[in-house]
Amino acid sequence: MKKEGKENFGFNSLKFVPKAYTSIAFFLLLGAVLFLFWGRKSESFRSDFLLEVMPEFYQHISNFTISYLLYAGIGYFWLMMGIRFKYIIFFGIAFVLANFIYELFIPILNTPDIIDAYFGFAGTILGFFFLFFVKKYGLVINAKLK
């Protein structure tokens, strides 16, 4: 019988735990996305290649970053909780729709810009590929629950 209380919360109560390379991949992607985001304010973090391809790249990177961080972060936790992947897919679709609806139809605190919606879509897609990898190869059943 399990004890009721603080002992059942946290890492020990997750249905799945990430493999070591999954955690490393999570933090490497997090670092890469934050590195891109820091390029908005600091020229030392900017990529000349990205600026040559798209001079206004850093004006849109916040949508990419927010979409990736929320989708990948929440989805990663949901996978460890054992939530079915189809719900994570629906969550991603909702993110994409919200991005496009907000960028095209809701001008509150925002200048409508389809490019921002595309960047949000790209962040969500990157998050989806990461979560698909995690679901397929990156988790093991939590031995502490057996």
Side-chain angles (χ1 to χ4, degrees):
M1 188 166 157
K2 290 185 181 179
K3 294 180 186 178
E4 297 298 323
K6 290 183 181 177
E7 296 84 12
N8 288 337
F9 293 105
F11 205 62
N12 292 338
S13 64
L14 295 173
K15 187 173 182 179
F16 297 98
V17 292
K19 294 178 181 177
Y21 63 82
T22 307
S23 294
I24 291 167
F26 177 76
F27 286 110
L28 285 175
L29 280 169
L30 177 68
V33 167
L34 290 175
F35 187 84
L36 287 172
F37 182 73
W38 291 331
R40 279 187 80 210
K41 299 291 182 190
S42 175
E43 289 188 24
S44 59
F45 289 107
R46 291 187 182 167
S47 164
D48 291 334
F49 171 75
L50 292 174
L51 288 172
E52 285 177 24
V53 173
M54 184 177 191
E56 65 278 352
F57 177 83
Y58 289 101
Q59 294 172 3
H60 306 288
I61 198 65
S62 60
N63 283 51
F64 174 87
T65 304
I66 292 167
S67 295
Y68 174 79
L69 291 175
L70 288 174
Y71 185 52
I74 293 168
Y76 189 49
F77 183 64
W78 282 4
L79 285 172
M80 289 188 284
M81 289 175 52
I83 292 177
R84 294 179 63 184
F85 196 67
K86 73 176 185 178
Y87 295 114
I88 294 169
I89 292 171
F90 293 146
F91 184 54
I93 292 168
F95 250 89
V96 169
L97 289 174
N99 249 305
F100 279 92
I101 291 169
Y102 184 70
E103 288 300 334
L104 295 176
F105 303 112
I106 304 174
I108 299 170
L109 298 174
N110 183 44
T111 302
D113 185 358
I114 190 68
I115 304 298
D116 280 344
Y118 291 144
F119 270 71
F121 175 76
T124 305
I125 291 299
L126 178 62
F128 172 79
F129 285 129
F130 169 73
L131 295 172
F132 182 77
F133 165 80
V134 170
K135 174 65 177 164
K136 191 107 171 130
Y137 306 107
L139 299 173
V140 293
I141 294 174
N142 190 349
K144 295 186 179 191
L145 290 181
K146 291 183 180 179

